């Protein structure tokens, strides 16, 4: 039986356009369902009940949300599309400024990877991934009030930590680093090999980074403001009702959200 593919989208928009480009290059036949965001359909509320946004790709009854997650999901089924993700993600990816650069001079001998970081949650996520894989690395504590030349060189776009430097090549953004670690080094699988479960993991990891963690921090920084507590509680409820452990069968999927 042929795959059933539906794309819930609006008539125009760069996020929807990305998904359509990927589907068309792959030669995938799909049903395009145009949505009115001022009057969202029951399907949108059902298939993306967290953000209630478009686009949504429905593949054999399984929904995938977030445009870049959708493009990556489509790419998995066609290796020839590996460069498509980079093209469609240009606005989100920093240039590979580390290419051809040797390992920092103060790195330990024969150590190919270094971590520019400080004790914050996003850095902890990367450290968990490195430890799960049994990778030895040199840790550099950064003072973000006085950023080092290395940090500015290896992450010139966002100038944030963590940054992983592997054999002179820099990778930024904690979740991108975690996926890189999972792809490069063997051992414990951080992400499932199932494309749908990988997409689910990416979705919830992004939700935790973009929604849940900021809401929790806001409670502490606002000295317990009632509105901040209410917002944090709402995000916590979403996690409890739709946690990765409930929506995915593989325990590997949840590792990315640690």
């Amino acid at each position: 039986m042929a795959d059933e593919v539906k794309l819930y989208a609006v008539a125009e928009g760069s996020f929807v356009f990305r998904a359509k480009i990927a589907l068309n290059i792959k030669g995938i036949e799909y049903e395009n369902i145009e949505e009115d965001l001022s009057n969202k359909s029951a399907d949108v509320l059902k298939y993306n009940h967290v953000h209630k946004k478009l686009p949504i790709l429905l593949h054999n009854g399984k929904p995938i949300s977030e445009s870049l997650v959708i493009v990556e999901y489509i790419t998995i089924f066609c290796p020839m599309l590996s460069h498509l993700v980079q093209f469609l993600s240009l606005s989100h990816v920093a240039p590979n400024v580390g290419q051809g650069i040797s390992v920092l001079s103060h790195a330990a001998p024969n150590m190919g990877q270094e971590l520019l970081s400080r004790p914050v949650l996003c850095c902890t996520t990367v450290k968990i991934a490195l430890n799960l894989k049994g990778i030895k690395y040199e840790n550099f504590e950064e003072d973000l009030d006085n950023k080092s030349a290395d940090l500015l060189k290896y992450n010139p776009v966002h100038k944030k930590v963590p940054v992983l430097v592997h054999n002179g090549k820099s990778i930024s953004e904690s979740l991108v680093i975690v996926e890189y670690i999972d792809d490069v080094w063997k051992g414990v699988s951080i992400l499932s090999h199932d494309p749908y479960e990988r997409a689910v993991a990416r979705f919830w990891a992004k939700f935790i980074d973009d929604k849940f963690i900021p809401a929790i921090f806001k409670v502490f920084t606002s000295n317990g403001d009632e509105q901040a507590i209410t917002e944090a509680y709402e995000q916590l409820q979403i996690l409890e009702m739709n946690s990765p452990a409930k929506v995915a069968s593989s325990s590997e999927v949840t590792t990315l959200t640690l």
Side-chain angles (χ1 to χ4, degrees):
M1 184 174 67
D3 286 1
E4 180 186 40
V5 181
K6 297 180 181 179
L7 183 67
Y8 291 84
V10 290
E12 297 180 356
S14 59
F15 298 116
V16 171
F17 190 54
R18 283 180 181 143
K20 289 185 176 181
I21 289 176
L23 288 167
N24 290 332
I25 290 180
K26 176 72 163 116
I28 300 172
E29 294 185 3
Y30 64 96
E31 180 181 355
N32 186 70
I33 302 173
E34 289 200 4
E35 288 284 335
D36 178 4
L37 290 184
S38 62
N39 184 26
K40 296 173 184 176
S41 70
D43 282 344
V44 170
L45 301 179
K46 174 184 176 183
Y47 292 127
N48 190 359
H49 52 281
V50 176
H51 298 303
K52 304 177 180 64
K53 295 191 302 183
L54 300 171
I56 302 168
L57 181 73
L58 193 66
H59 181 209
N60 292 334
K62 296 178 179 179
I64 301 98
S65 305
E66 301 290 334
S67 61
L68 294 181
V69 175
I70 291 172
V71 171
E72 289 183 5
Y73 178 79
I74 295 169
T75 302
I76 291 172
F77 294 100
C78 182
M80 292 179 63
L81 287 179
S82 59
H83 297 294
L84 177 64
V85 174
Q86 298 176 15
F87 174 75
L88 298 179
S89 310
L90 285 178
S91 61
H92 297 269
V93 178
N96 187 7
V97 296
Q99 187 171 6
I101 299 177
S102 61
V103 178
L104 294 179
S105 59
H106 51 280
N110 300 320
M111 184 172 294
Q113 50 276 351
E114 304 152 13
L115 185 65
L116 306 178
S117 66
R118 73 182 228 170
V120 292
L121 186 60
C122 55
C123 297
T124 301
T125 301
V126 173
K127 290 178 180 180
I128 289 173
L130 289 167
N131 291 332
L132 280 172
K133 294 284 189 176
I135 302 166
K136 293 182 179 180
Y137 63 94
E138 187 169 358
N139 186 70
F140 294 91
E141 297 282 336
E142 285 286 328
D143 178 5
L144 294 188
D145 294 325
N146 185 25
K147 297 174 182 177
S148 70
D150 286 336
L151 179 57
L152 299 178
K153 177 173 74 173
Y154 288 125
N155 192 358
V157 176
H158 298 300
K159 304 177 179 65
K160 296 190 302 183
V161 293
V163 177
L164 182 74
V165 182
H166 180 209
N167 292 332
K169 296 178 180 179
S170 60
I171 303 97
S172 306
E173 300 294 326
S174 60
L175 299 181
V176 175
I177 294 172
V178 169
E179 292 195 44
Y180 176 83
I181 291 169
D182 197 32
D183 288 338
V184 172
W185 286 281
K186 297 179 180 179
V188 178
S189 293
I190 297 175
L191 279 167
S192 170
H193 296 295
D194 179 81
Y196 179 71
E197 291 183 353
R198 289 175 71 93
V200 169
R202 290 188 183 103
F203 175 87
W204 284 108
K206 192 173 188 302
F207 173 84
I208 290 172
D209 261 14
D210 293 350
K211 300 289 185 179
F212 180 69
I213 297 302
I216 296 299
F217 280 141
K218 189 175 179 180
V219 172
F220 292 99
T221 57
S222 65
N223 295 318
D225 176 73
E226 186 174 342
Q227 180 62 32
I229 293 174
T230 299
E231 291 175 0
Y233 180 71
E234 289 174 353
Q235 301 303 322
L236 182 59
Q237 279 189 314
I238 291 174
L239 274 179
E240 289 180 341
M241 295 293 292
N242 308 278
S243 67
K246 293 181 180 179
V247 299
S249 58
S250 172
S251 60
E252 294 174 316
V253 177
T254 62
T255 310
L256 185 61
T257 64
L258 288 175

